[in-house]
mmCIF file of all heavy atoms in Angstrom:
data_model
loop_
_atom_site.group_PDB
_atom_site.id
_atom_site.type_symbol
_atom_site.label_atom_id
_atom_site.label_comp_id
_atom_site.label_asym_id
_atom_site.label_seq_id
_atom_site.Cartn_x
_atom_site.Cartn_y
_atom_site.Cartn_z
ATOM 1 N N SER A 1 281.766 12.430 121.714
ATOM 2 C CA SER A 1 282.956 11.946 121.003
ATOM 3 C C SER A 1 282.740 10.542 120.464
ATOM 4 O O SER A 1 283.212 10.202 119.369
ATOM 5 C CB SER A 1 284.178 11.980 121.926
ATOM 6 O OG SER A 1 284.001 11.124 123.039
ATOM 7 N N THR A 2 282.005 9.718 121.230
ATOM 8 C CA THR A 2 281.711 8.359 120.768
ATOM 9 C C THR A 2 280.872 8.387 119.502
ATOM 10 O O THR A 2 281.097 7.605 118.566
ATOM 11 C CB THR A 2 280.968 7.572 121.866
ATOM 12 O OG1 THR A 2 281.800 7.478 123.026
ATOM 13 C CG2 THR A 2 280.611 6.170 121.393
ATOM 14 N N ALA A 3 279.899 9.282 119.446
ATOM 15 C CA ALA A 3 279.037 9.394 118.272
ATOM 16 C C ALA A 3 279.846 9.733 117.023
ATOM 17 O O ALA A 3 279.633 9.148 115.954
ATOM 18 C CB ALA A 3 277.964 10.447 118.511
ATOM 19 N N VAL A 4 280.789 10.664 117.146
ATOM 20 C CA VAL A 4 281.612 11.039 115.990
ATOM 21 C C VAL A 4 282.481 9.872 115.560
ATOM 22 O O VAL A 4 282.590 9.557 114.371
ATOM 23 C CB VAL A 4 282.487 12.271 116.309
ATOM 24 C CG1 VAL A 4 283.453 12.561 115.160
ATOM 25 C CG2 VAL A 4 281.615 13.487 116.575
ATOM 26 N N ASN A 5 283.117 9.222 116.524
ATOM 27 C CA ASN A 5 283.957 8.065 116.187
ATOM 28 C C ASN A 5 283.158 7.009 115.426
ATOM 29 O O ASN A 5 283.600 6.496 114.394
ATOM 30 C CB ASN A 5 284.543 7.450 117.455
ATOM 31 C CG ASN A 5 285.349 6.196 117.171
ATOM 32 O OD1 ASN A 5 286.518 6.257 116.808
ATOM 33 N ND2 ASN A 5 284.725 5.031 117.320
ATOM 34 N N ASN A 6 281.974 6.701 115.929
ATOM 35 C CA ASN A 6 281.190 5.635 115.330
ATOM 36 C C ASN A 6 280.558 6.042 114.009
ATOM 37 O O ASN A 6 280.258 5.195 113.167
ATOM 38 C CB ASN A 6 280.115 5.164 116.307
ATOM 39 C CG ASN A 6 280.708 4.475 117.520
ATOM 40 O OD1 ASN A 6 281.862 4.059 117.502
ATOM 41 N ND2 ASN A 6 279.931 4.360 118.577
ATOM 42 N N ALA A 7 280.393 7.334 113.800
ATOM 43 C CA ALA A 7 279.833 7.813 112.537
ATOM 44 C C ALA A 7 280.853 7.751 111.406
ATOM 45 O O ALA A 7 280.489 7.575 110.241
ATOM 46 C CB ALA A 7 279.317 9.242 112.702
ATOM 47 N N PHE A 8 282.140 7.880 111.745
ATOM 48 C CA PHE A 8 283.163 7.986 110.702
ATOM 49 C C PHE A 8 284.245 6.922 110.795
ATOM 50 O O PHE A 8 285.253 7.017 110.110
ATOM 51 C CB PHE A 8 283.801 9.379 110.755
ATOM 52 C CG PHE A 8 282.866 10.480 110.371
ATOM 53 C CD1 PHE A 8 282.133 11.161 111.334
ATOM 54 C CD2 PHE A 8 282.701 10.834 109.033
ATOM 55 C CE1 PHE A 8 281.255 12.176 110.977
ATOM 56 C CE2 PHE A 8 281.825 11.855 108.672
ATOM 57 C CZ PHE A 8 281.101 12.518 109.641
ATOM 58 N N SER A 9 284.059 5.921 111.639
ATOM 59 C CA SER A 9 285.087 4.895 111.801
ATOM 60 C C SER A 9 284.497 3.507 111.646
ATOM 61 O O SER A 9 283.342 3.257 112.021
ATOM 62 C CB SER A 9 285.751 5.020 113.181
ATOM 63 O OG SER A 9 286.646 3.962 113.402
ATOM 64 N N LEU A 10 285.299 2.606 111.114
ATOM 65 C CA LEU A 10 284.880 1.210 111.018
ATOM 66 C C LEU A 10 284.991 0.528 112.377
ATOM 67 O O LEU A 10 284.348 -0.490 112.621
ATOM 68 C CB LEU A 10 285.746 0.474 109.995
ATOM 69 C CG LEU A 10 285.635 0.967 108.545
ATOM 70 C CD1 LEU A 10 286.628 0.223 107.663
ATOM 71 C CD2 LEU A 10 284.223 0.793 108.021
ATOM 72 N N SER A 11 285.818 1.085 113.267
ATOM 73 C CA SER A 11 285.997 0.545 114.614
ATOM 74 C C SER A 11 284.996 1.217 115.547
ATOM 75 O O SER A 11 285.128 2.402 115.870
ATOM 76 C CB SER A 11 287.427 0.808 115.098
ATOM 77 O OG SER A 11 287.592 0.397 116.432
ATOM 78 N N LYS A 12 283.980 0.491 115.981
ATOM 79 C CA LYS A 12 282.905 1.063 116.783
ATOM 80 C C LYS A 12 283.220 1.016 118.275
ATOM 81 O O LYS A 12 283.749 0.029 118.780
ATOM 82 C CB LYS A 12 281.597 0.317 116.517
ATOM 83 C CG LYS A 12 281.169 0.288 115.048
ATOM 84 C CD LYS A 12 280.874 1.681 114.508
ATOM 85 C CE LYS A 12 280.359 1.627 113.076
ATOM 86 N NZ LYS A 12 280.101 2.965 112.515
ATOM 87 N N HIS A 13 282.872 2.095 118.966
ATOM 88 C CA HIS A 13 283.049 2.178 120.413
ATOM 89 C C HIS A 13 281.689 2.135 121.095
ATOM 90 O O HIS A 13 280.699 2.623 120.543
ATOM 91 C CB HIS A 13 283.769 3.472 120.803
ATOM 92 C CG HIS A 13 285.176 3.547 120.307
ATOM 93 N ND1 HIS A 13 285.937 4.693 120.405
ATOM 94 C CD2 HIS A 13 285.964 2.630 119.700
ATOM 95 C CE1 HIS A 13 287.137 4.465 119.872
ATOM 96 N NE2 HIS A 13 287.171 3.224 119.448
ATOM 97 N N SER A 14 281.641 1.589 122.297
ATOM 98 C CA SER A 14 280.412 1.543 123.081
ATOM 99 C C SER A 14 280.612 2.279 124.398
ATOM 100 O O SER A 14 281.731 2.379 124.904
ATOM 101 C CB SER A 14 279.999 0.095 123.367
ATOM 102 O OG SER A 14 279.694 -0.596 122.180
ATOM 103 N N VAL A 15 279.525 2.790 124.947
ATOM 104 C CA VAL A 15 279.557 3.452 126.250
ATOM 105 C C VAL A 15 278.912 2.522 127.271
ATOM 106 O O VAL A 15 277.770 2.093 127.098
ATOM 107 C CB VAL A 15 278.803 4.797 126.217
ATOM 108 C CG1 VAL A 15 278.875 5.467 127.582
ATOM 109 C CG2 VAL A 15 279.388 5.714 125.149
ATOM 110 N N ASP A 16 279.650 2.199 128.323
ATOM 111 C CA ASP A 16 279.175 1.278 129.350
ATOM 112 C C ASP A 16 278.942 2.047 130.651
ATOM 113 O O ASP A 16 279.870 2.630 131.215
ATOM 114 C CB ASP A 16 280.215 0.171 129.566
ATOM 115 C CG ASP A 16 279.792 -0.826 130.633
ATOM 116 O OD1 ASP A 16 278.631 -0.764 131.083
ATOM 117 O OD2 ASP A 16 280.624 -1.665 131.026
ATOM 118 N N TYR A 17 277.695 2.042 131.126
ATOM 119 C CA TYR A 17 277.355 2.800 132.329
ATOM 120 C C TYR A 17 277.183 1.906 133.568
ATOM 121 O O TYR A 17 276.605 2.331 134.562
ATOM 122 C CB TYR A 17 276.078 3.605 132.088
ATOM 123 C CG TYR A 17 276.306 4.795 131.183
ATOM 124 C CD1 TYR A 17 275.464 5.044 130.105
ATOM 125 C CD2 TYR A 17 277.367 5.656 131.409
ATOM 126 C CE1 TYR A 17 275.679 6.144 129.273
ATOM 127 C CE2 TYR A 17 277.593 6.749 130.590
ATOM 128 C CZ TYR A 17 276.742 6.988 129.527
ATOM 129 O OH TYR A 17 276.966 8.067 128.706
ATOM 130 N N THR A 18 277.707 0.700 133.518
ATOM 131 C CA THR A 18 277.560 -0.237 134.631
ATOM 132 C C THR A 18 278.121 0.330 135.933
ATOM 133 O O THR A 18 277.548 0.134 137.009
ATOM 134 C CB THR A 18 278.278 -1.565 134.315
ATOM 135 O OG1 THR A 18 277.765 -2.089 133.089
ATOM 136 C CG2 THR A 18 278.065 -2.572 135.427
ATOM 137 N N SER A 19 279.230 1.046 135.848
ATOM 138 C CA SER A 19 279.889 1.553 137.061
ATOM 139 C C SER A 19 279.807 3.077 137.176
ATOM 140 O O SER A 19 280.575 3.683 137.922
ATOM 141 C CB SER A 19 281.361 1.120 137.069
ATOM 142 O OG SER A 19 282.047 1.664 135.948
ATOM 143 N N LEU A 20 278.881 3.682 136.458
ATOM 144 C CA LEU A 20 278.791 5.150 136.408
ATOM 145 C C LEU A 20 278.674 5.778 137.803
ATOM 146 O O LEU A 20 277.760 5.452 138.556
ATOM 147 C CB LEU A 20 277.575 5.553 135.571
ATOM 148 C CG LEU A 20 277.306 7.067 135.493
ATOM 149 C CD1 LEU A 20 278.367 7.742 134.636
ATOM 150 C CD2 LEU A 20 275.912 7.315 134.931
ATOM 151 N N PRO A 21 279.568 6.707 138.164
ATOM 152 C CA PRO A 21 279.449 7.411 139.445
ATOM 153 C C PRO A 21 278.612 8.688 139.304
ATOM 154 O O PRO A 21 278.607 9.331 138.255
ATOM 155 C CB PRO A 21 280.905 7.764 139.774
ATOM 156 C CG PRO A 21 281.547 7.953 138.423
ATOM 157 C CD PRO A 21 280.838 7.022 137.470
ATOM 158 N N TRP A 22 277.897 9.049 140.349
ATOM 159 C CA TRP A 22 277.108 10.283 140.343
ATOM 160 C C TRP A 22 277.061 10.860 141.764
ATOM 161 O O TRP A 22 277.285 10.153 142.741
ATOM 162 C CB TRP A 22 275.678 10.020 139.837
ATOM 163 C CG TRP A 22 274.973 8.891 140.525
ATOM 164 C CD1 TRP A 22 274.898 7.587 140.107
ATOM 165 C CD2 TRP A 22 274.278 8.940 141.784
ATOM 166 N NE1 TRP A 22 274.187 6.830 141.022
ATOM 167 C CE2 TRP A 22 273.793 7.634 142.047
ATOM 168 C CE3 TRP A 22 274.011 9.944 142.698
ATOM 169 C CZ2 TRP A 22 273.063 7.331 143.206
ATOM 170 C CZ3 TRP A 22 273.285 9.647 143.854
ATOM 171 C CH2 TRP A 22 272.818 8.349 144.091
ATOM 172 N N VAL A 23 276.775 12.161 141.847
ATOM 173 C CA VAL A 23 276.760 12.852 143.140
ATOM 174 C C VAL A 23 275.603 13.850 143.175
ATOM 175 O O VAL A 23 275.348 14.539 142.189
ATOM 176 C CB VAL A 23 278.080 13.618 143.396
ATOM 177 C CG1 VAL A 23 278.043 14.317 144.752
ATOM 178 C CG2 VAL A 23 279.279 12.688 143.308
ATOM 179 N N VAL A 24 274.920 13.925 144.310
ATOM 180 C CA VAL A 24 273.952 14.991 144.584
ATOM 181 C C VAL A 24 274.597 15.898 145.623
ATOM 182 O O VAL A 24 274.980 15.447 146.709
ATOM 183 C CB VAL A 24 272.625 14.427 145.116
ATOM 184 C CG1 VAL A 24 271.653 15.575 145.419
ATOM 185 C CG2 VAL A 24 272.008 13.465 144.103
ATOM 186 N N PHE A 25 274.703 17.197 145.315
ATOM 187 C CA PHE A 25 275.503 18.103 146.146
ATOM 188 C C PHE A 25 274.681 18.779 147.242
ATOM 189 O O PHE A 25 274.724 19.997 147.426
ATOM 190 C CB PHE A 25 276.196 19.134 145.259
ATOM 191 C CG PHE A 25 277.309 18.551 144.436
ATOM 192 C CD1 PHE A 25 277.049 17.996 143.199
ATOM 193 C CD2 PHE A 25 278.604 18.523 144.909
ATOM 194 C CE1 PHE A 25 278.061 17.445 142.435
ATOM 195 C CE2 PHE A 25 279.628 17.964 144.157
ATOM 196 C CZ PHE A 25 279.359 17.419 142.914
ATOM 197 N N THR A 26 273.933 17.969 147.963
ATOM 198 C CA THR A 26 273.318 18.452 149.189
ATOM 199 C C THR A 26 274.359 18.352 150.301
ATOM 200 O O THR A 26 275.510 18.014 150.051
ATOM 201 C CB THR A 26 272.091 17.585 149.534
ATOM 202 O OG1 THR A 26 272.468 16.198 149.454
ATOM 203 C CG2 THR A 26 270.939 17.852 148.560
ATOM 204 N N ASP A 27 273.945 18.630 151.538
ATOM 205 C CA ASP A 27 274.849 18.441 152.670
ATOM 206 C C ASP A 27 274.070 17.689 153.751
ATOM 207 O O ASP A 27 273.155 18.261 154.335
ATOM 208 C CB ASP A 27 275.336 19.779 153.200
ATOM 209 C CG ASP A 27 276.301 19.626 154.381
ATOM 210 O OD1 ASP A 27 276.829 18.505 154.568
ATOM 211 O OD2 ASP A 27 276.493 20.608 155.125
ATOM 212 N N PRO A 28 274.378 16.416 154.013
ATOM 213 C CA PRO A 28 275.488 15.656 153.432
ATOM 214 C C PRO A 28 275.251 15.312 151.965
ATOM 215 O O PRO A 28 274.112 15.262 151.503
ATOM 216 C CB PRO A 28 275.526 14.391 154.293
ATOM 217 C CG PRO A 28 274.113 14.239 154.799
ATOM 218 C CD PRO A 28 273.616 15.629 155.008
ATOM 219 N N GLN A 29 276.363 15.103 151.259
ATOM 220 C CA GLN A 29 276.284 14.723 149.850
ATOM 221 C C GLN A 29 275.803 13.283 149.709
ATOM 222 O O GLN A 29 276.041 12.449 150.582
ATOM 223 C CB GLN A 29 277.648 14.878 149.177
ATOM 224 C CG GLN A 29 278.109 16.317 149.043
ATOM 225 C CD GLN A 29 279.505 16.438 148.465
ATOM 226 O OE1 GLN A 29 280.150 15.441 148.142
ATOM 227 N NE2 GLN A 29 279.985 17.661 148.332
ATOM 228 N N ILE A 30 275.145 13.024 148.588
ATOM 229 C CA ILE A 30 274.682 11.676 148.276
ATOM 230 C C ILE A 30 275.390 11.244 147.001
ATOM 231 O O ILE A 30 275.422 11.992 146.023
ATOM 232 C CB ILE A 30 273.157 11.647 148.073
ATOM 233 C CG1 ILE A 30 272.454 12.147 149.334
ATOM 234 C CG2 ILE A 30 272.680 10.246 147.707
ATOM 235 C CD1 ILE A 30 271.006 12.511 149.112
ATOM 236 N N ALA A 31 275.967 10.053 147.016
ATOM 237 C CA ALA A 31 276.713 9.590 145.849
ATOM 238 C C ALA A 31 276.470 8.110 145.636
ATOM 239 O O ALA A 31 276.167 7.364 146.575
ATOM 240 C CB ALA A 31 278.211 9.859 146.039
ATOM 241 N N GLY A 32 276.603 7.697 144.389
ATOM 242 C CA GLY A 32 276.386 6.293 144.090
ATOM 243 C C GLY A 32 277.141 5.837 142.864
ATOM 244 O O GLY A 32 277.598 6.642 142.044
ATOM 245 N N ALA A 33 277.275 4.526 142.737
ATOM 246 C CA ALA A 33 277.847 3.888 141.546
ATOM 247 C C ALA A 33 277.307 2.472 141.503
ATOM 248 O O ALA A 33 277.125 1.831 142.540
ATOM 249 C CB ALA A 33 279.374 3.877 141.600
ATOM 250 N N GLY A 34 277.035 1.999 140.299
ATOM 251 C CA GLY A 34 276.522 0.649 140.167
ATOM 252 C C GLY A 34 275.125 0.508 140.737
ATOM 253 O O GLY A 34 274.362 1.475 140.849
ATOM 254 N N MET A 35 274.765 -0.704 141.147
ATOM 255 C CA MET A 35 273.418 -1.021 141.619
ATOM 256 C C MET A 35 273.258 -0.753 143.112
ATOM 257 O O MET A 35 274.215 -0.841 143.873
ATOM 258 C CB MET A 35 273.114 -2.499 141.382
ATOM 259 C CG MET A 35 273.138 -2.943 139.939
ATOM 260 S SD MET A 35 272.772 -4.720 139.843
ATOM 261 C CE MET A 35 272.678 -4.921 138.053
ATOM 262 N N ASP A 36 272.013 -0.449 143.519
ATOM 263 C CA ASP A 36 271.698 -0.537 144.937
ATOM 264 C C ASP A 36 270.993 -1.864 145.167
ATOM 265 O O ASP A 36 270.834 -2.678 144.243
ATOM 266 C CB ASP A 36 270.879 0.661 145.420
ATOM 267 C CG ASP A 36 269.493 0.735 144.781
ATOM 268 O OD1 ASP A 36 269.049 -0.251 144.153
ATOM 269 O OD2 ASP A 36 268.848 1.795 144.909
ATOM 270 N N GLU A 37 270.559 -2.122 146.396
ATOM 271 C CA GLU A 37 269.994 -3.431 146.711
ATOM 272 C C GLU A 37 268.671 -3.693 145.985
ATOM 273 O O GLU A 37 268.362 -4.839 145.621
ATOM 274 C CB GLU A 37 269.818 -3.595 148.225
ATOM 275 C CG GLU A 37 268.925 -2.557 148.886
ATOM 276 C CD GLU A 37 269.690 -1.350 149.397
ATOM 277 O OE1 GLU A 37 270.560 -0.840 148.652
ATOM 278 O OE2 GLU A 37 269.408 -0.910 150.522
ATOM 279 N N VAL A 38 267.900 -2.635 145.742
ATOM 280 C CA VAL A 38 266.633 -2.798 145.030
ATOM 281 C C VAL A 38 266.883 -3.218 143.582
ATOM 282 O O VAL A 38 266.229 -4.132 143.052
ATOM 283 C CB VAL A 38 265.817 -1.484 145.070
ATOM 284 C CG1 VAL A 38 264.544 -1.617 144.240
ATOM 285 C CG2 VAL A 38 265.490 -1.109 146.506
ATOM 286 N N GLU A 39 267.854 -2.585 142.951
ATOM 287 C CA GLU A 39 268.177 -2.911 141.557
ATOM 288 C C GLU A 39 268.796 -4.305 141.433
ATOM 289 O O GLU A 39 268.535 -5.027 140.462
ATOM 290 C CB GLU A 39 269.123 -1.849 140.996
ATOM 291 C CG GLU A 39 268.463 -0.483 140.864
ATOM 292 C CD GLU A 39 269.465 0.630 140.634
ATOM 293 O OE1 GLU A 39 270.594 0.541 141.159
ATOM 294 O OE2 GLU A 39 269.116 1.595 139.929
ATOM 295 N N ALA A 40 269.625 -4.674 142.413
ATOM 296 C CA ALA A 40 270.248 -6.000 142.388
ATOM 297 C C ALA A 40 269.190 -7.092 142.517
ATOM 298 O O ALA A 40 269.234 -8.115 141.824
ATOM 299 C CB ALA A 40 271.274 -6.121 143.508
ATOM 300 N N GLU A 41 268.240 -6.872 143.402
ATOM 301 C CA GLU A 41 267.169 -7.859 143.572
ATOM 302 C C GLU A 41 266.320 -7.970 142.309
ATOM 303 O O GLU A 41 265.967 -9.075 141.882
ATOM 304 C CB GLU A 41 266.291 -7.478 144.760
ATOM 305 C CG GLU A 41 265.216 -8.504 145.068
ATOM 306 C CD GLU A 41 264.480 -8.207 146.366
ATOM 307 O OE1 GLU A 41 264.705 -7.123 146.951
ATOM 308 O OE2 GLU A 41 263.674 -9.052 146.801
ATOM 309 N N LYS A 42 266.018 -6.842 141.701
ATOM 310 C CA LYS A 42 265.232 -6.839 140.472
ATOM 311 C C LYS A 42 265.957 -7.563 139.345
ATOM 312 O O LYS A 42 265.339 -8.225 138.506
ATOM 313 C CB LYS A 42 264.923 -5.394 140.056
ATOM 314 C CG LYS A 42 264.000 -5.270 138.863
ATOM 315 C CD LYS A 42 263.683 -3.811 138.570
ATOM 316 C CE LYS A 42 262.763 -3.692 137.362
ATOM 317 N NZ LYS A 42 262.454 -2.253 137.060
ATOM 318 N N ALA A 43 267.288 -7.456 139.328
ATOM 319 C CA ALA A 43 268.086 -8.106 138.287
ATOM 320 C C ALA A 43 268.320 -9.587 138.567
ATOM 321 O O ALA A 43 268.892 -10.296 137.729
ATOM 322 C CB ALA A 43 269.426 -7.386 138.138
ATOM 323 N N GLY A 44 267.911 -10.052 139.743
ATOM 324 C CA GLY A 44 268.077 -11.463 140.073
ATOM 325 C C GLY A 44 269.493 -11.838 140.421
ATOM 326 O O GLY A 44 269.885 -13.013 140.305
ATOM 327 N N ILE A 45 270.289 -10.877 140.881
ATOM 328 C CA ILE A 45 271.683 -11.149 141.242
ATOM 329 C C ILE A 45 271.760 -11.520 142.721
ATOM 330 O O ILE A 45 271.195 -10.823 143.569
ATOM 331 C CB ILE A 45 272.556 -9.900 140.971
ATOM 332 C CG1 ILE A 45 272.551 -9.564 139.481
ATOM 333 C CG2 ILE A 45 273.980 -10.104 141.473
ATOM 334 C CD1 ILE A 45 273.247 -8.252 139.155
#
C-alpha cells in the first residue's frame, strides 16, 4: 500500500521497522521487537 501511495501521491509515506514485532511459532514461542543486546552494542547505544 505504501508503494502505491508513493507512486501516485505528492505526499510520501515511509515504513519504519525500528519496533517491528516478530514471532517464531515453536514451543516455547520465540518473539522479539527492536534491538537485542548484540545489535545495541554494535550500534554504539
Side-chain angles (χ1 to χ4, degrees):
S1 62
T2 299
V4 174
N5 176 83
N6 293 342
F8 293 93
S9 174
L10 296 176
S11 175
K12 304 296 184 182
H13 295 172
S14 296
V15 181
D16 180 9
Y17 287 132
T18 304
S19 62
L20 177 71
W22 51 265
V23 180
V24 179
F25 289 87
T26 49
D27 181 17
Q29 292 176 1
I30 301 164
M35 299 179 174
D36 65 13
E37 59 268 45
V38 176
E39 293 166 327
E41 184 172 8
K42 185 177 180 180
I45 297 173

